[in-house]
Amino acid sequence: MLTSIRDGLWAGLRHPKLVLLIWTWNLLLALCAALPAFGWWTRAFSRSPEASTLLQRFNFGVLADLTKYDEAGGFALLFGAVGGLMFLSLLASAFVMGGILEVLANDDDARPFLHRFFRGGGHFFWRFVRLLLIAGVCLVVVVATVSATVGALTAPMADSEWEPAGYLVGLGNLLVLAIVAAFFLLGLDYARIKVAALGSHGMLRAYFGALGFVARHLFATYAMALVMVVLMAALMLAYLGYETYRTTDSWGAIALLLAVQQAVVLGRAGLRVALVGAERSFYARRTPVAMTAPSAVPAGAISPTAGIPADETLAFLSSLLHTMRFG
Amino acid sequence: MNRVLVSTSVLVLLVAAPVMADHLPVRSDQIVQYDLRVRLDPAKKQLHGVERLTWRNPSTDTVGELRFHLYLNAFKNTKSTFVRESGGQLRGDEMASDGWGWIDVTSINAGGVDLTPHMRFVAPDDGNADDQTVSRIVLPQPVPPGGSITLDITFLAQLPQVFARTGFKDDFFLVGQWFPKIGVYEPAGMRGRVVGGWNCHQFHANSEFYADFGAYHVEITVPANYVIGATGQRTAERRNNDGTKTCTYEQADVHDFAWTADPDYLVVKAKFSGTTDVTLAEYERIAKLLGRSLDEVKLSDVDITVLLQPGHAVQADRHVQAAKHGLKWFGLWYGRYPYKTLTVVDPAPGASGAGGMEYPTFITAGSSLLFNSWPFDKINLVEEVTVHEFGHQFWYAMVGNNEFEEAWLDEGFNSYSTGKVMELAYGRNTSTLQFLGLTLGGVDGLRAGNSPAARYNRVLANSWDYTPSGTYGFYSYQKPELLLRTLEHYLGEQTMARVMRTYHERWRFRHPRSEDFFAVANEISGQNLSWYFDQVVRGTEILDYEVGPVSSTRVSGPRGVIDGPKGRQTTTNADARKQAAAEASGKSSARYETRVIVQRKGGVVFPVEVAFKFEGKPIETQVWDGRDRTNTYTFVRAEKLEWVDIDPDRNVPLDVNWLNNGKRLESDTRPAASWAARWLFFVQTVLTTVGML
């Protein structure tokens, strides 16, 4: 497991272009919600002396005033936009994961990086979307069932006269739900790794097979994910510390804030690649046959492991257009 | 050295001198005398009570009937007015489905005559025949003017599971509104009454209370292992043979009595000292502010008892310090706290419905284990609730307005006072919280609730008449605080301090109405402030000023054929271009015509300062009376305008929107950029998390 974590972190460091691409995609998506906000706040704040206080501190009064005559509900629109972007990001994650796996699988591939990434993304997209749907349904059904059951079982404890009981029960419930949810999410990750390795088309079988794999290696799969989550949390805490003790009252300070924020997002993207790398390495070590099994590799393809026919990207785009046209 | 000597001498005198006669009334006109004996049955959660009540008729009327509050019947069933109005939910607390409470008057006698058969429930407010929170007893023998009647009452009360201030949670008991309590007979002339009569409202979801001042002698019997806290001073305690104990409490000049019992309480004792908890400099500053002698502002010592939940032990000092801040600043501003004790109760977990309530000399705060440690320990909820509930000792417990009909007179006045104490003690921008780098001051939160839509109710209304009922909080707490803060800035700190002090002194241990405050404000300020109170207390309109179109453009010289002292001259376009070039190069001075239109967006008319900042010049202010909807300012001068700002010091917190108060000519996008960056990061974080799936 430690070797896999090391492999994963190494994969993150060895693929800066991959990390940059994920970060760029994330930034572009986020800008769709940030630019309108910037426009709105520029119109509202740039000529108002009152808004200057926002340079010194979070001024709840100013933000509240912003909505006083705002019948359209500016914040509602912004959060609505974020909701839409979340859906898009979720859908795109199927593409991004295909790209990541293709790039990681073909380190020594001479083809250009972007070529590999987009071919991987396109090649696995629909299969990964199906996996996402299967995992989503399993996740919602099981988490809802577990939540209701655990809630009913622990309700009397939460009502205890011993005050910490309520908080402990609440935290315990959250922990249980997180563990259960993580099981299905890890299953999704390993199913994608398996599909990318074997080129399988039976997604249900792949997903439940992956769940079985996670169940058989519960400690290791959870621990690897936990290490990455802890590293991500450390990044966020470091950022919060910076944000708490720095004011942004000059353009320089604002630029520095942006730089720090993007470094954090970049770090998170790197850790995401590292997690996939670690999981891939772990899966390969536990199922060496699967990882070396021939996939849909055309004759003459450069990669011996997971190459994709060159016309797959076009096929993907064609099917995408078809879907868009016919709904 | 001399200064130190003088100061020390003053301090010694201050400490040693007996309290001299001052403007504060010493005692109330005691209309009622309650002698109560109550036994708690902790298993059944019931109270067995015996009450001897002596009521004096304060009027010149012959009173033929009595009216009583039976507050606990509000929790008797779903047909009560309280439950109908509240839907079984109050202040975020939900009534337990099987936690009913009620009170039965089992007997009532006057001079040996059984009056029980003469008791009837009445519903003076809404005619709800199923509401049993007010009872009426027709007396066989009326009480003559100035005469008294003594009633012997026995009652059995079932406490509700804690909801709406009172009840039980396991072994914890907060016993408020628990005994048959006589209403207030208001003689003609009192609070604007034309004819005398009873003021005894039903218990409403949004209403609190109203009662006459008097003296209480209460004996409470509970299991011996229980810790008791109550209104007033404990004067006796005895162990009984049946494993119980009886504690006796006494307090005069109060209008209510509440108590609590819990075997788990951690008892924390502290003392507020009028000598060491207030500095001489503070006494001097307040004496000067109020125009009173040092003797008159001198505070008394008070024994503070905090009954804490054991898990909140580390918060003991937070409660004590908050209580001391309250005792100090309320005492300095409005007059010394006249009682010897103050009890602060921290309700049991799961009994938050009992928290945040005030009774004479006895308040309930409210806390949580969360507030024990970082990052929640700088959320000043414990402090704010303690200061606020303590503040009710001054606004309601002493100045006993009718909370049913004019809640703003206590909730609003107290919110205003609490806000000032919190800012002094915990910082203007941090008085509410400091949490992970975010700070929130009281005024920020307060103003957030004020909006252009807050124009459908009056501040001055019966507490059950606000529509929708949820707006009671805004019109009773927030808007009054905003309007009092605005008034303070308008009158100035000193005048406002004297208005509040005088109002408190005149109405301590009495029952004022809004007009009494208005009269004091007019008298002390030397102005007729009706225009203000009519708009913001009796009226519904909002206050909002904004800066409209602003321009500051270079003035071009005249062109064409000009008849001047030197005869007729013709200025061509080429001449104008030359002139402009000369101005641009600095060879000739440019002049700017500045036009600023300020607008009154809201219906409330209020004089405001308008500040103008011209390049390289100090800020200039002008006062606009705000009577017209718009006002145009025009300047022609050598400097260009940088910005204009209405109410630049933000002295009018009643203004619903400060963002539109000012305008710069040159835009500054830094605030937008700085927060857009944060928003961008937030969105990126969310998307990264989702994108990981």
Side-chain angles (χ1 to χ4, degrees):
Chain A
M1 181 192 76
L2 289 174
T3 315
S4 298
I5 292 174
R6 190 201 60 199
D7 288 350
L9 291 170
W10 183 233
L13 290 170
R14 270 198 337 178
H15 295 91
K17 286 182 190 168
L18 184 58
V19 176
L20 272 173
L21 188 66
I22 296 170
W23 167 78
T24 308
W25 166 240
N26 173 276
L27 180 64
L28 287 175
L29 270 188
L31 282 173
C32 295
L35 289 177
F38 179 61
W40 175 30
W41 294 339
T42 299
R43 284 191 300 280
F45 294 158
S46 64
R47 292 189 185 274
S48 168
E50 178 67 10
S52 298
T53 55
L54 285 171
L55 292 173
Q56 304 298 329
R57 65 184 179 97
F58 170 76
N59 187 333
F60 182 64
V62 169
L63 295 180
D65 280 355
L66 196 56
T67 62
K68 293 284 173 71
Y69 288 102
D70 175 25
E71 307 220 339
F75 282 112
L77 285 173
L78 279 186
F79 280 103
V82 172
L85 290 171
M86 283 168 70
F87 177 73
L88 196 60
S89 181
L90 186 66
L91 204 61
S93 71
F95 188 90
V96 172
M97 276 300 292
I100 293 175
L101 286 169
E102 175 65 11
V103 171
L104 294 184
N106 297 288
D107 266 355
D108 49 354
D109 195 328
R111 289 175 299 178
F113 158 74
L114 283 178
H115 182 91
R116 281 182 286 150
F117 182 85
F118 282 100
R119 277 165 61 111
H123 181 71
F124 295 114
F125 181 71
W126 293 116
R127 277 180 275 178
F128 284 6
V129 167
R130 292 209 298 277
L131 275 177
L132 204 58
L133 280 173
I134 294 165
V137 169
C138 290
L139 186 78
V140 168
V141 170
V142 174
V143 166
T145 309
V146 170
S147 173
T149 311
V150 171
L153 289 174
T154 56
M157 283 185 265
D159 199 33
S160 161
E161 210 176 343
W162 186 56
E163 191 179 2
Y167 296 112
L168 292 176
V169 165
L171 284 175
N173 288 357
L174 273 181
L175 190 65
V176 168
L177 291 181
I179 289 170
V180 172
F183 180 71
F184 290 95
L185 294 177
L186 287 171
L188 179 63
D189 265 6
Y190 285 100
R192 288 189 287 213
I193 290 168
K194 187 177 173 183
V195 168
L198 300 176
S200 10
H201 285 268
M203 293 303 106
L204 263 177
R205 193 170 169 189
Y207 186 63
F208 287 107
L211 287 181
F213 178 82
V214 174
R216 285 195 300 280
H217 303 93
L218 213 52
F219 175 75
T221 50
Y222 271 77
M224 281 190 299
L226 193 62
V227 166
M228 300 303 169
V229 168
V230 167
L231 289 173
M232 285 181 195
L235 261 179
M236 289 302 290
L237 277 177
Y239 169 74
L240 276 179
Y242 175 85
E243 166 75 278
T244 303
Y245 296 107
R246 295 282 302 197
T247 53
T248 47
D249 52 358
S250 67
W251 280 114
I254 294 167
L256 191 61
L257 176 75
L258 264 169
V260 170
Q261 289 172 336
Q262 295 317 308
V264 171
V265 180
L266 206 59
R268 286 194 59 168
L271 286 170
R272 177 56 178 147
V273 172
L275 178 60
V276 176
E279 288 170 338
R280 195 176 168 282
S281 162
F282 183 75
Y283 188 77
R285 285 170 203 286
R286 290 292 179 275
T287 54
V289 179
M291 290 304 277
T292 54
S295 58
V297 187
I302 295 164
S303 167
T305 52
I308 297 161
D311 59 346
E312 287 265 0
T313 309
L314 283 175
F316 163 72
L317 289 174
S318 161
S319 69
L320 191 65
L321 283 172
H322 183 83
T323 310
M324 286 166 69
R325 193 178 306 150
F326 298 108
Chain B
M1 181 66 183
N2 279 347
R3 188 180 166 78
V4 173
L5 262 178
V6 169
S7 297
T8 312
S9 311
V10 171
L11 184 61
V12 169
L13 278 173
L14 204 59
V15 174
V19 175
M20 294 171 69
D22 54 31
H23 294 75
L24 288 167
V26 177
R27 63 188 299 264
S28 64
D29 180 14
Q30 300 190 358
I31 304 289
V32 291
Q33 172 98 34
Y34 283 96
D35 195 338
L36 288 147
R37 277 174 289 142
V38 59
R39 170 182 286 268
L40 172 70
D41 180 340
K44 292 182 178 170
K45 319 294 184 191
Q46 288 182 339
L47 305 173
H48 298 264
V50 176
E51 173 178 336
R52 168 163 285 193
L53 163 66
T54 302
W55 176 76
R56 180 167 55 79
N57 179 357
S59 71
T60 53
D61 306 331
T62 298
V63 178
E65 65 169 54
L66 303 178
R67 294 217 174 181
F68 284 87
H69 292 284
L70 300 171
Y71 288 118
L72 285 180
N73 281 339
F75 314 116
K76 191 170 186 177
N77 52 48
T78 54
K79 296 193 286 186
S80 76
T81 291
F82 187 101
V83 176
R84 282 184 183 180
E85 288 176 351
S86 69
Q89 291 197 358
L90 196 73
R91 303 194 298 186
D93 196 30
E94 199 166 337
M95 190 174 183
S97 55
D98 55 351
W100 307 111
W102 43 259
I103 181 168
D104 282 345
V105 175
T106 44
S107 72
I108 181 163
N109 290 276
V113 179
D114 185 6
L115 302 178
T116 319
H118 302 284
M119 199 178 85
R120 298 281 181 275
F121 294 116
V122 290
D125 300 334
D126 64 1
N128 175 7
D130 296 315
D131 190 73
Q132 300 183 348
T133 56
V134 176
S135 69
R136 170 178 181 255
I137 298 164
V138 177
L139 298 170
Q141 284 227 311
V143 184
S148 295
I149 183 171
T150 297
L151 302 164
D152 288 300
I153 304 168
T154 57
F155 63 92
L156 174 66
Q158 172 66 54
L159 292 170
Q161 198 162 317
V162 164
F163 175 64
R165 309 173 184 87
T166 191
F168 71 90
K169 170 76 173 122
D170 301 317
D171 289 340
F172 164 83
F173 294 88
L174 196 298
V175 188
Q177 298 88 46
W178 55 282
F179 57 93
K181 191 171 180 185
I182 198 160
V184 177
Y185 191 87
E186 297 182 327
M190 180 181 171
R191 296 181 60 253
R193 280 193 90 109
V194 179
V195 292
W198 285 101
N199 191 302
C200 192
H201 290 286
Q202 295 162 252
F203 198 1
H204 294 270
N206 277 339
S207 73
E208 288 191 304
F209 314 105
Y210 179 46
D212 265 321
F213 289 93
Y216 284 79
H217 172 102
V218 183
E219 291 180 19
I220 304 166
T221 300
V222 297
N225 64 327
Y226 274 63
V227 177
I228 303 181
T231 294
Q233 288 181 276
R234 186 183 294 189
T235 54
E237 178 174 348
R238 68 166 190 272
R239 295 265 165 176
N240 305 316
N241 293 331
D242 57 358
T244 63
K245 67 178 178 185
T246 301
C247 296
T248 305
Y249 287 84
E250 291 180 0
Q251 186 63 59
D253 305 317
V254 293
H255 52 52
D256 201 358
F257 188 98
W259 55 283
T260 183
D262 187 340
D264 298 325
Y265 275 136
L266 182 69
V267 181
V268 177
K269 296 272 188 188
K271 194 173 191 79
F272 172 81
S273 164
T275 309
T276 58
D277 285 317
V278 188
T279 66
L280 179 59
E282 285 168 335
Y283 276 129
E284 287 175 335
R285 194 177 71 75
I286 294 296
K288 190 177 169 195
L289 182 74
L290 298 172
R292 301 290 164 85
S293 68
L294 278 171
D295 272 348
E296 214 172 325
V297 296
K298 170 79 170 64
L299 303 184
S300 312
D301 294 352
V302 179
D303 291 323
I304 301 171
T305 303
V306 181
L307 300 177
L308 268 183
Q309 295 305 313
H312 302 166
V314 296
Q315 297 176 29
D317 196 49
R318 292 176 64 178
H319 286 82
V320 169
Q321 290 309 318
K324 283 188 174 184
H325 286 307
L327 280 158
K328 175 176 163 178
W329 292 111
F330 278 84
L332 286 172
W333 290 331
Y334 309 131
R336 75 184 65 82
Y337 181 72
Y339 310 111
K340 301 252 183 254
T341 62
L342 172 68
T343 301
V344 183
V345 178
D346 175 25
S352 59
M357 184 53 196
E358 70 280 4
Y359 301 93
T361 81
F362 178 98
I363 61 174
T364 64
S367 188
S368 156
L369 202 64
L370 280 181
F371 299 139
N372 280 357
S373 52
W374 184 88
F376 305 106
D377 56 339
K378 289 279 195 293
I379 296 175
N380 294 330
L381 194 66
V382 170
E383 289 79 0
E384 187 158 8
V385 176
T386 305
V387 171
H388 182 87
E389 304 314 332
F390 170 76
H392 276 300
Q393 301 303 314
F394 288 76
W395 306 122
Y396 181 57
M398 282 185 253
V399 175
N401 60 288
N402 186 330
E403 289 188 302
F404 291 93
E405 297 175 6
E406 296 172 290
W408 82 285
L409 282 180
D410 59 289
E411 296 298 358
F413 277 53
N414 191 26
S415 294
Y416 160 75
S417 313
T418 302
K420 282 163 64 84
V421 173
M422 291 300 292
E423 286 181 0
L424 274 172
Y426 304 100
R428 183 174 166 78
N429 292 330
T430 50
S431 61
T432 301
L433 64 85
Q434 295 176 73
F435 182 74
L436 297 176
L438 297 181
T439 60
L440 183 63
V443 175
D444 285 347
L446 187 65
R447 287 192 55 255
N450 194 14
S451 81
R455 65 194 335 158
Y456 299 103
N457 286 275
R458 292 175 178 81
V459 165
L460 189 51
N462 290 325
S463 57
W464 60 92
D465 281 340
Y466 295 104
T467 310
S469 65
T471 57
Y472 160 78
F474 175 74
Y475 290 102
S476 303
Y477 292 70
Q478 284 103 341
K479 187 169 179 186
E481 181 178 352
L482 289 167
L483 74 88
L484 289 172
R485 280 179 181 264
T486 301
L487 182 64
E488 176 174 342
H489 289 299
Y490 177 73
L491 295 177
E493 185 192 9
Q494 179 173 292
T495 305
M496 186 66 177
R498 292 179 183 190
V499 166
M500 296 297 280
R501 175 80 176 202
T502 307
Y503 169 64
H504 184 91
E505 285 167 346
R506 284 196 193 156
W507 291 95
R508 179 178 274 204
F509 302 136
R510 297 172 68 198
H511 304 299
R513 63 174 177 151
S514 301
E515 280 72 10
D516 298 315
F517 172 69
F518 302 155
V520 170
N522 290 346
E523 177 194 325
I524 302 300
S525 69
Q527 307 176 38
N528 184 349
L529 296 166
S530 301
W531 61 271
Y532 182 65
F533 296 123
D534 284 349
Q535 293 184 96
V536 300
V537 178
R538 296 193 183 96
T540 58
E541 278 294 343
I542 59 154
L543 192 159
D544 189 14
Y545 283 92
E546 72 172 356
V547 172
V550 177
S551 62
S552 191
T553 51
R554 190 181 296 226
V555 181
S556 305
R559 290 174 216 182
V561 180
I562 312 290
D563 291 325
K566 293 178 185 172
R568 176 166 291 187
Q569 286 186 318
T570 302
T571 308
T572 62
N573 283 345
D575 295 334
R577 277 196 295 275
K578 271 186 204 164
Q579 175 66 20
E583 286 172 2
S585 63
K587 287 178 187 163
S588 170
S589 59
R591 293 183 72 74
Y592 292 88
E593 183 178 275
T594 298
R595 261 172 84 86
V596 174
I597 299 177
V598 289
Q599 298 166 337
R600 178 165 59 78
K601 221 172 167 181
V604 171
V605 176
F606 191 81
V608 284
E609 275 191 341
V610 185
F612 302 90
K613 175 74 174 74
F614 291 91
E615 285 174 342
K617 294 287 176 186
I619 296 167
E620 298 170 30
T621 57
Q622 296 195 22
V623 174
W624 178 33
D625 62 17
R627 286 185 199 283
D628 293 327
R629 279 284 180 177
T630 65
N631 195 28
T632 304
Y633 295 90
T634 307
F635 307 87
V636 178
R637 38 173 86 183
E639 300 83 23
K640 193 177 177 185
L641 184 76
E642 279 185 11
W643 52 258
V644 55
D645 204 3
I646 300 171
D647 179 30
D649 298 324
R650 301 295 180 254
N651 287 331
V652 187
L654 198 53
D655 191 323
V656 296
N657 189 356
W658 279 347
L659 260 183
N660 64 8
N661 272 34
K663 211 169 250 184
R664 299 174 194 285
L665 261 76
E666 299 295 326
S667 70
D668 178 3
T669 48
R670 285 175 305 154
S674 139
W675 287 90
R678 290 174 173 91
W679 172 249
L680 172 70
F681 181 67
F682 167 76
V683 178
Q684 282 184 288
T685 305
V686 169
L687 296 185
T688 311
T689 307
V690 172
M692 280 177 67
L693 300 179

